[in-house]
mmCIF file of all heavy atoms in Angstrom:
data_model
loop_
_atom_site.group_PDB
_atom_site.id
_atom_site.type_symbol
_atom_site.label_atom_id
_atom_site.label_comp_id
_atom_site.label_asym_id
_atom_site.label_seq_id
_atom_site.Cartn_x
_atom_site.Cartn_y
_atom_site.Cartn_z
ATOM 1 N N ARG A 24 122.531 44.583 33.297
ATOM 2 C CA ARG A 24 121.698 43.550 32.730
ATOM 3 C C ARG A 24 122.151 42.168 33.060
ATOM 4 O O ARG A 24 121.366 41.222 33.103
ATOM 5 C CB ARG A 24 121.482 43.774 31.248
ATOM 6 C CG ARG A 24 122.626 43.357 30.397
ATOM 7 C CD ARG A 24 122.207 43.346 28.920
ATOM 8 N NE ARG A 24 123.404 42.894 28.202
ATOM 9 C CZ ARG A 24 124.158 43.600 27.414
ATOM 10 N NH1 ARG A 24 123.850 44.855 27.171
ATOM 11 N NH2 ARG A 24 125.191 43.068 26.825
ATOM 12 N N VAL A 25 123.471 42.022 33.280
ATOM 13 C CA VAL A 25 123.997 40.693 33.687
ATOM 14 C C VAL A 25 123.545 40.370 35.121
ATOM 15 O O VAL A 25 123.066 39.270 35.319
ATOM 16 C CB VAL A 25 125.508 40.682 33.617
ATOM 17 C CG1 VAL A 25 126.124 39.414 34.213
ATOM 18 C CG2 VAL A 25 125.991 40.869 32.184
ATOM 19 N N VAL A 26 123.593 41.345 35.974
ATOM 20 C CA VAL A 26 123.138 41.132 37.328
ATOM 21 C C VAL A 26 121.590 40.852 37.339
ATOM 22 O O VAL A 26 121.140 39.980 38.054
ATOM 23 C CB VAL A 26 123.435 42.362 38.251
ATOM 24 C CG1 VAL A 26 122.831 42.195 39.616
ATOM 25 C CG2 VAL A 26 124.939 42.502 38.377
ATOM 26 N N ALA A 27 120.885 41.562 36.522
ATOM 27 C CA ALA A 27 119.450 41.310 36.400
ATOM 28 C C ALA A 27 119.114 39.909 35.855
ATOM 29 O O ALA A 27 118.189 39.253 36.332
ATOM 30 C CB ALA A 27 118.770 42.378 35.462
ATOM 31 N N LYS A 28 119.853 39.428 34.883
ATOM 32 C CA LYS A 28 119.656 38.104 34.390
ATOM 33 C C LYS A 28 119.968 36.998 35.439
ATOM 34 O O LYS A 28 119.227 36.039 35.550
ATOM 35 C CB LYS A 28 120.502 37.873 33.126
ATOM 36 C CG LYS A 28 119.949 38.562 31.898
ATOM 37 C CD LYS A 28 120.779 38.246 30.693
ATOM 38 C CE LYS A 28 120.178 38.880 29.436
ATOM 39 N NZ LYS A 28 120.872 38.497 28.247
ATOM 40 N N ILE A 29 121.017 37.238 36.164
ATOM 41 C CA ILE A 29 121.371 36.287 37.240
ATOM 42 C C ILE A 29 120.216 36.296 38.272
ATOM 43 O O ILE A 29 119.777 35.213 38.721
ATOM 44 C CB ILE A 29 122.718 36.653 37.900
ATOM 45 C CG1 ILE A 29 123.850 36.419 36.964
ATOM 46 C CG2 ILE A 29 122.902 35.851 39.223
ATOM 47 C CD1 ILE A 29 125.180 36.977 37.417
ATOM 48 N N ALA A 30 119.708 37.493 38.656
ATOM 49 C CA ALA A 30 118.690 37.579 39.677
ATOM 50 C C ALA A 30 117.398 36.912 39.146
ATOM 51 O O ALA A 30 116.667 36.270 39.919
ATOM 52 C CB ALA A 30 118.479 39.029 40.042
ATOM 53 N N ALA A 31 117.054 37.093 37.870
ATOM 54 C CA ALA A 31 115.858 36.516 37.301
ATOM 55 C C ALA A 31 115.975 34.982 37.331
ATOM 56 O O ALA A 31 114.982 34.312 37.671
ATOM 57 C CB ALA A 31 115.618 37.035 35.891
ATOM 58 N N GLN A 32 117.106 34.457 36.954
ATOM 59 C CA GLN A 32 117.311 32.990 36.975
ATOM 60 C C GLN A 32 117.196 32.467 38.417
ATOM 61 O O GLN A 32 116.522 31.430 38.641
ATOM 62 C CB GLN A 32 118.653 32.628 36.392
ATOM 63 C CG GLN A 32 118.974 31.163 36.427
ATOM 64 C CD GLN A 32 117.993 30.350 35.563
ATOM 65 O OE1 GLN A 32 117.532 30.789 34.537
ATOM 66 N NE2 GLN A 32 117.721 29.138 35.985
ATOM 67 N N VAL A 33 117.788 33.105 39.328
ATOM 68 C CA VAL A 33 117.761 32.678 40.747
ATOM 69 C C VAL A 33 116.329 32.757 41.280
ATOM 70 O O VAL A 33 115.836 31.859 41.965
ATOM 71 C CB VAL A 33 118.697 33.517 41.605
ATOM 72 C CG1 VAL A 33 118.521 33.243 43.083
ATOM 73 C CG2 VAL A 33 120.144 33.218 41.202
ATOM 74 N N ALA A 34 115.581 33.807 40.913
ATOM 75 C CA ALA A 34 114.174 33.965 41.369
ATOM 76 C C ALA A 34 113.347 32.856 40.756
ATOM 77 O O ALA A 34 112.451 32.315 41.470
ATOM 78 C CB ALA A 34 113.655 35.314 40.959
ATOM 79 N N ARG A 35 113.510 32.527 39.467
ATOM 80 C CA ARG A 35 112.764 31.420 38.873
ATOM 81 C C ARG A 35 113.049 30.125 39.588
ATOM 82 O O ARG A 35 112.119 29.364 39.867
ATOM 83 C CB ARG A 35 113.191 31.256 37.382
ATOM 84 C CG ARG A 35 112.391 32.093 36.436
ATOM 85 C CD ARG A 35 112.579 31.686 35.000
ATOM 86 N NE ARG A 35 113.976 31.841 34.577
ATOM 87 C CZ ARG A 35 114.493 32.986 34.160
ATOM 88 N NH1 ARG A 35 113.725 34.056 34.135
ATOM 89 N NH2 ARG A 35 115.741 33.114 33.765
ATOM 90 N N GLU A 36 114.317 29.878 39.932
ATOM 91 C CA GLU A 36 114.651 28.628 40.632
ATOM 92 C C GLU A 36 114.050 28.629 42.029
ATOM 93 O O GLU A 36 113.579 27.563 42.460
ATOM 94 C CB GLU A 36 116.126 28.466 40.716
ATOM 95 C CG GLU A 36 116.784 28.193 39.363
ATOM 96 C CD GLU A 36 118.292 28.175 39.438
ATOM 97 O OE1 GLU A 36 118.923 28.242 40.545
ATOM 98 O OE2 GLU A 36 118.948 28.135 38.361
ATOM 99 N N ALA A 37 114.016 29.746 42.699
ATOM 100 C CA ALA A 37 113.419 29.806 44.079
ATOM 101 C C ALA A 37 111.936 29.551 43.985
ATOM 102 O O ALA A 37 111.406 28.799 44.814
ATOM 103 C CB ALA A 37 113.707 31.152 44.691
ATOM 104 N N LEU A 38 111.291 30.126 42.984
ATOM 105 C CA LEU A 38 109.799 29.935 42.841
ATOM 106 C C LEU A 38 109.479 28.526 42.382
ATOM 107 O O LEU A 38 108.387 28.054 42.687
ATOM 108 C CB LEU A 38 109.232 30.961 41.868
ATOM 109 C CG LEU A 38 109.263 32.407 42.403
ATOM 110 C CD1 LEU A 38 108.757 33.314 41.296
ATOM 111 C CD2 LEU A 38 108.357 32.515 43.602
ATOM 112 N N SER A 39 110.370 27.859 41.669
ATOM 113 C CA SER A 39 110.040 26.556 41.160
ATOM 114 C C SER A 39 109.936 25.520 42.330
ATOM 115 O O SER A 39 109.367 24.433 42.107
ATOM 116 C CB SER A 39 111.150 26.070 40.189
ATOM 117 O OG SER A 39 112.352 25.796 40.883
ATOM 118 N N ARG A 40 110.349 25.821 43.489
ATOM 119 C CA ARG A 40 110.284 24.900 44.594
ATOM 120 C C ARG A 40 108.856 24.937 45.239
ATOM 121 O O ARG A 40 108.530 24.069 45.979
ATOM 122 C CB ARG A 40 111.296 25.297 45.690
ATOM 123 C CG ARG A 40 112.704 25.036 45.228
ATOM 124 C CD ARG A 40 113.704 25.301 46.303
ATOM 125 N NE ARG A 40 115.046 25.207 45.716
ATOM 126 C CZ ARG A 40 115.720 26.204 45.235
ATOM 127 N NH1 ARG A 40 115.241 27.460 45.266
ATOM 128 N NH2 ARG A 40 116.892 26.058 44.714
ATOM 129 N N PHE A 41 108.053 25.915 44.859
ATOM 130 C CA PHE A 41 106.665 26.035 45.320
ATOM 131 C C PHE A 41 105.823 25.494 44.188
ATOM 132 O O PHE A 41 105.502 26.213 43.256
ATOM 133 C CB PHE A 41 106.302 27.488 45.671
ATOM 134 C CG PHE A 41 107.088 28.001 46.800
ATOM 135 C CD1 PHE A 41 108.313 28.653 46.575
ATOM 136 C CD2 PHE A 41 106.671 27.876 48.126
ATOM 137 C CE1 PHE A 41 109.031 29.188 47.631
ATOM 138 C CE2 PHE A 41 107.388 28.381 49.127
ATOM 139 C CZ PHE A 41 108.598 29.038 48.942
ATOM 140 N N THR A 42 105.408 24.235 44.302
ATOM 141 C CA THR A 42 104.740 23.581 43.141
ATOM 142 C C THR A 42 103.245 23.776 43.070
ATOM 143 O O THR A 42 102.636 23.770 42.043
ATOM 144 C CB THR A 42 105.063 22.070 43.167
ATOM 145 O OG1 THR A 42 104.647 21.532 44.424
ATOM 146 C CG2 THR A 42 106.500 21.818 42.938
ATOM 147 N N GLU A 43 102.559 23.910 44.254
ATOM 148 C CA GLU A 43 101.111 23.915 44.227
ATOM 149 C C GLU A 43 100.470 25.077 43.432
ATOM 150 O O GLU A 43 99.618 24.866 42.580
ATOM 151 C CB GLU A 43 100.517 23.990 45.648
ATOM 152 C CG GLU A 43 100.870 22.776 46.395
ATOM 153 C CD GLU A 43 101.766 23.080 47.644
ATOM 154 O OE1 GLU A 43 101.912 24.259 47.973
ATOM 155 O OE2 GLU A 43 102.322 22.140 48.176
ATOM 156 N N PRO A 44 100.897 26.318 43.630
ATOM 157 C CA PRO A 44 100.177 27.405 42.950
ATOM 158 C C PRO A 44 100.616 27.679 41.500
ATOM 159 O O PRO A 44 99.981 28.462 40.836
ATOM 160 C CB PRO A 44 100.488 28.621 43.795
ATOM 161 C CG PRO A 44 101.874 28.336 44.342
ATOM 162 C CD PRO A 44 101.847 26.864 44.597
ATOM 163 N N THR A 45 101.616 27.020 41.015
ATOM 164 C CA THR A 45 102.138 27.371 39.690
ATOM 165 C C THR A 45 101.207 26.982 38.568
ATOM 166 O O THR A 45 101.282 27.536 37.484
ATOM 167 C CB THR A 45 103.498 26.716 39.424
ATOM 168 O OG1 THR A 45 103.362 25.296 39.560
ATOM 169 C CG2 THR A 45 104.550 27.242 40.346
ATOM 170 N N GLY A 46 100.242 26.079 38.802
ATOM 171 C CA GLY A 46 99.278 25.711 37.776
ATOM 172 C C GLY A 46 98.327 26.852 37.449
ATOM 173 O O GLY A 46 97.722 26.794 36.403
ATOM 174 N N HIS A 47 98.206 27.816 38.298
ATOM 175 C CA HIS A 47 97.290 28.921 38.097
ATOM 176 C C HIS A 47 97.896 30.052 37.237
ATOM 177 O O HIS A 47 97.167 30.851 36.715
ATOM 178 C CB HIS A 47 96.831 29.516 39.372
ATOM 179 C CG HIS A 47 96.168 28.546 40.301
ATOM 180 N ND1 HIS A 47 95.096 27.747 39.913
ATOM 181 C CD2 HIS A 47 96.387 28.210 41.592
ATOM 182 C CE1 HIS A 47 94.727 26.976 40.956
ATOM 183 N NE2 HIS A 47 95.524 27.251 41.978
ATOM 184 N N VAL A 48 99.198 30.041 37.130
ATOM 185 C CA VAL A 48 99.899 31.145 36.421
ATOM 186 C C VAL A 48 99.932 30.781 34.926
ATOM 187 O O VAL A 48 100.475 29.704 34.582
ATOM 188 C CB VAL A 48 101.301 31.406 36.958
ATOM 189 C CG1 VAL A 48 101.983 32.542 36.193
ATOM 190 C CG2 VAL A 48 101.247 31.733 38.439
ATOM 191 N N PRO A 49 99.414 31.627 34.038
ATOM 192 C CA PRO A 49 99.501 31.288 32.583
ATOM 193 C C PRO A 49 100.966 31.206 32.149
ATOM 194 O O PRO A 49 101.863 31.879 32.697
ATOM 195 C CB PRO A 49 98.861 32.499 31.911
ATOM 196 C CG PRO A 49 97.967 33.113 33.011
ATOM 197 C CD PRO A 49 98.678 32.862 34.323
ATOM 198 N N PRO A 50 101.279 30.364 31.145
ATOM 199 C CA PRO A 50 102.617 30.098 30.759
ATOM 200 C C PRO A 50 103.463 31.300 30.415
ATOM 201 O O PRO A 50 104.619 31.394 30.699
ATOM 202 C CB PRO A 50 102.464 29.211 29.516
ATOM 203 C CG PRO A 50 101.131 28.568 29.713
ATOM 204 C CD PRO A 50 100.319 29.575 30.405
ATOM 205 N N GLY A 51 102.914 32.322 29.782
ATOM 206 C CA GLY A 51 103.651 33.493 29.434
ATOM 207 C C GLY A 51 103.973 34.470 30.563
ATOM 208 O O GLY A 51 104.678 35.470 30.376
ATOM 209 N N HIS A 52 103.453 34.184 31.741
ATOM 210 C CA HIS A 52 103.578 35.099 32.871
ATOM 211 C C HIS A 52 104.501 34.626 33.995
ATOM 212 O O HIS A 52 104.536 35.247 35.033
ATOM 213 C CB HIS A 52 102.218 35.355 33.484
ATOM 214 C CG HIS A 52 101.260 36.044 32.526
ATOM 215 N ND1 HIS A 52 101.148 37.417 32.505
ATOM 216 C CD2 HIS A 52 100.415 35.556 31.641
ATOM 217 C CE1 HIS A 52 100.268 37.757 31.591
ATOM 218 N NE2 HIS A 52 99.814 36.613 31.024
ATOM 219 N N ARG A 53 105.268 33.576 33.767
ATOM 220 C CA ARG A 53 106.043 32.967 34.809
ATOM 221 C C ARG A 53 107.396 33.653 35.035
ATOM 222 O O ARG A 53 107.976 33.432 36.082
ATOM 223 C CB ARG A 53 106.250 31.492 34.541
ATOM 224 C CG ARG A 53 104.947 30.737 34.737
ATOM 225 C CD ARG A 53 105.181 29.326 34.686
ATOM 226 N NE ARG A 53 103.804 28.672 34.829
ATOM 227 C CZ ARG A 53 103.605 27.394 34.838
ATOM 228 N NH1 ARG A 53 104.630 26.584 34.777
ATOM 229 N NH2 ARG A 53 102.437 26.924 34.918
ATOM 230 N N THR A 54 107.919 34.348 34.102
ATOM 231 C CA THR A 54 109.257 34.917 34.295
ATOM 232 C C THR A 54 109.247 36.107 35.188
ATOM 233 O O THR A 54 108.501 37.055 34.923
ATOM 234 C CB THR A 54 109.798 35.332 32.870
ATOM 235 O OG1 THR A 54 109.801 34.177 32.040
ATOM 236 C CG2 THR A 54 111.196 35.885 33.012
ATOM 237 N N PRO A 55 110.066 36.134 36.227
ATOM 238 C CA PRO A 55 110.144 37.347 37.051
ATOM 239 C C PRO A 55 110.787 38.472 36.210
ATOM 240 O O PRO A 55 111.662 38.242 35.438
ATOM 241 C CB PRO A 55 111.068 36.964 38.228
ATOM 242 C CG PRO A 55 111.097 35.461 38.179
ATOM 243 C CD PRO A 55 110.816 35.073 36.770
ATOM 244 N N HIS A 56 110.321 39.668 36.399
ATOM 245 C CA HIS A 56 110.878 40.813 35.715
ATOM 246 C C HIS A 56 111.813 41.538 36.722
ATOM 247 O O HIS A 56 111.398 41.872 37.847
ATOM 248 C CB HIS A 56 109.751 41.763 35.270
ATOM 249 C CG HIS A 56 108.774 41.097 34.385
ATOM 250 N ND1 HIS A 56 109.029 40.764 33.081
ATOM 251 C CD2 HIS A 56 107.530 40.682 34.598
ATOM 252 C CE1 HIS A 56 108.049 40.225 32.542
ATOM 253 N NE2 HIS A 56 107.081 40.089 33.439
ATOM 254 N N VAL A 57 113.014 41.721 36.340
ATOM 255 C CA VAL A 57 114.043 42.264 37.263
ATOM 256 C C VAL A 57 114.692 43.539 36.649
ATOM 257 O O VAL A 57 115.021 43.539 35.521
ATOM 258 C CB VAL A 57 115.174 41.253 37.548
ATOM 259 C CG1 VAL A 57 116.206 41.828 38.511
ATOM 260 C CG2 VAL A 57 114.601 39.937 38.089
ATOM 261 N N THR A 58 114.793 44.548 37.473
ATOM 262 C CA THR A 58 115.552 45.694 37.080
ATOM 263 C C THR A 58 116.646 45.853 38.137
ATOM 264 O O THR A 58 116.409 45.691 39.356
ATOM 265 C CB THR A 58 114.687 46.974 37.051
ATOM 266 O OG1 THR A 58 114.054 47.199 38.311
ATOM 267 C CG2 THR A 58 113.677 46.921 35.946
ATOM 268 N N ALA A 59 117.849 46.159 37.701
ATOM 269 C CA ALA A 59 118.962 46.277 38.607
ATOM 270 C C ALA A 59 119.820 47.471 38.261
ATOM 271 O O ALA A 59 119.999 47.785 37.107
ATOM 272 C CB ALA A 59 119.885 44.994 38.526
ATOM 273 N N VAL A 60 120.341 48.118 39.306
ATOM 274 C CA VAL A 60 121.257 49.254 39.132
ATOM 275 C C VAL A 60 122.498 48.861 39.962
ATOM 276 O O VAL A 60 122.401 48.676 41.155
ATOM 277 C CB VAL A 60 120.694 50.560 39.613
ATOM 278 C CG1 VAL A 60 121.651 51.695 39.473
ATOM 279 C CG2 VAL A 60 119.380 50.885 38.830
ATOM 280 N N VAL A 61 123.688 48.806 39.278
ATOM 281 C CA VAL A 61 124.875 48.417 39.959
ATOM 282 C C VAL A 61 125.810 49.608 40.058
ATOM 283 O O VAL A 61 126.059 50.306 39.076
ATOM 284 C CB VAL A 61 125.638 47.271 39.211
ATOM 285 C CG1 VAL A 61 126.913 46.890 39.885
ATOM 286 C CG2 VAL A 61 124.733 46.118 39.059
ATOM 287 N N ARG A 62 126.289 49.845 41.271
ATOM 288 C CA ARG A 62 127.261 50.932 41.558
ATOM 289 C C ARG A 62 128.618 50.279 41.830
ATOM 290 O O ARG A 62 128.650 49.232 42.463
ATOM 291 C CB ARG A 62 126.821 51.770 42.738
ATOM 292 C CG ARG A 62 125.561 52.567 42.478
ATOM 293 C CD ARG A 62 125.141 53.287 43.727
ATOM 294 N NE ARG A 62 124.448 52.253 44.553
ATOM 295 C CZ ARG A 62 124.372 52.282 45.864
ATOM 296 N NH1 ARG A 62 124.991 53.187 46.551
ATOM 297 N NH2 ARG A 62 123.788 51.296 46.509
ATOM 298 N N GLY A 63 129.676 50.979 41.519
ATOM 299 C CA GLY A 63 130.994 50.490 41.835
ATOM 300 C C GLY A 63 131.240 50.406 43.314
ATOM 301 O O GLY A 63 130.637 51.172 44.042
ATOM 302 N N ALA A 64 132.106 49.504 43.710
ATOM 303 C CA ALA A 64 132.363 49.322 45.138
ATOM 304 C C ALA A 64 133.302 50.400 45.621
ATOM 305 O O ALA A 64 134.233 50.795 44.928
ATOM 306 C CB ALA A 64 133.036 47.982 45.392
ATOM 307 N N PRO A 65 133.040 50.959 46.809
ATOM 308 C CA PRO A 65 134.002 51.900 47.362
ATOM 309 C C PRO A 65 135.332 51.161 47.722
ATOM 310 O O PRO A 65 135.272 49.983 48.004
ATOM 311 C CB PRO A 65 133.302 52.416 48.646
ATOM 312 C CG PRO A 65 132.334 51.374 48.998
ATOM 313 C CD PRO A 65 131.957 50.710 47.684
ATOM 314 N N GLU A 66 136.362 51.892 47.751
ATOM 315 C CA GLU A 66 137.683 51.319 48.103
ATOM 316 C C GLU A 66 137.619 50.840 49.557
ATOM 317 O O GLU A 66 137.288 51.629 50.460
ATOM 318 C CB GLU A 66 138.788 52.352 47.948
ATOM 319 C CG GLU A 66 140.183 51.795 48.074
ATOM 320 C CD GLU A 66 140.558 50.908 46.886
ATOM 321 O OE1 GLU A 66 140.084 51.143 45.798
ATOM 322 O OE2 GLU A 66 141.364 50.014 47.084
ATOM 323 N N ARG A 67 137.894 49.591 49.768
ATOM 324 C CA ARG A 67 137.895 49.030 51.179
ATOM 325 C C ARG A 67 139.241 48.788 51.605
ATOM 326 O O ARG A 67 140.138 48.324 50.905
ATOM 327 C CB ARG A 67 137.100 47.706 51.175
ATOM 328 C CG ARG A 67 135.624 47.832 50.913
ATOM 329 C CD ARG A 67 134.976 46.512 51.066
ATOM 330 N NE ARG A 67 133.581 46.617 50.680
ATOM 331 C CZ ARG A 67 132.765 45.621 50.719
ATOM 332 N NH1 ARG A 67 133.162 44.437 51.095
ATOM 333 N NH2 ARG A 67 131.520 45.783 50.373
ATOM 334 N N ALA A 68 139.473 49.008 52.896
ATOM 335 C CA ALA A 68 140.774 48.754 53.506
ATOM 336 C C ALA A 68 140.691 47.398 54.194
ATOM 337 O O ALA A 68 140.231 47.259 55.305
ATOM 338 C CB ALA A 68 141.110 49.839 54.508
ATOM 339 N N GLY A 69 141.015 46.380 53.447
ATOM 340 C CA GLY A 69 141.050 45.011 53.989
ATOM 341 C C GLY A 69 139.636 44.448 54.148
ATOM 342 O O GLY A 69 138.710 45.161 54.344
ATOM 343 N N GLY A 70 139.575 43.194 54.028
ATOM 344 C CA GLY A 70 138.262 42.447 54.207
ATOM 345 C C GLY A 70 138.616 41.147 54.862
ATOM 346 O O GLY A 70 139.714 40.866 55.247
ATOM 347 N N PRO A 71 137.646 40.272 54.928
ATOM 348 C CA PRO A 71 137.871 38.975 55.481
ATOM 349 C C PRO A 71 138.943 38.238 54.694
ATOM 350 O O PRO A 71 138.977 38.289 53.449
ATOM 351 C CB PRO A 71 136.553 38.253 55.406
ATOM 352 C CG PRO A 71 135.531 39.325 55.275
ATOM 353 C CD PRO A 71 136.246 40.462 54.573
ATOM 354 N N ALA A 72 139.845 37.561 55.395
ATOM 355 C CA ALA A 72 140.945 36.821 54.706
ATOM 356 C C ALA A 72 140.381 35.777 53.779
ATOM 357 O O ALA A 72 139.508 35.017 54.144
ATOM 358 C CB ALA A 72 141.866 36.263 55.737
ATOM 359 N N GLY A 73 140.913 35.774 52.558
ATOM 360 C CA GLY A 73 140.486 34.735 51.615
ATOM 361 C C GLY A 73 139.222 35.039 50.818
ATOM 362 O O GLY A 73 138.896 34.332 49.923
#
Side-chain angles (χ1 to χ4, degrees):
R24 77 170 184 249
V25 172
V26 174
K28 285 183 178 185
I29 292 170
Q32 178 63 34
V33 171
R35 270 192 298 279
E36 291 173 9
L38 291 174
S39 70
R40 293 185 187 93
F41 296 89
T42 56
E43 295 115 15
T45 57
H47 303 307
V48 181
H52 295 269
R53 292 189 181 181
T54 303
H56 303 286
V57 181
T58 55
V60 177
V61 179
R62 292 175 281 151
E66 190 71 28
R67 292 185 186 179

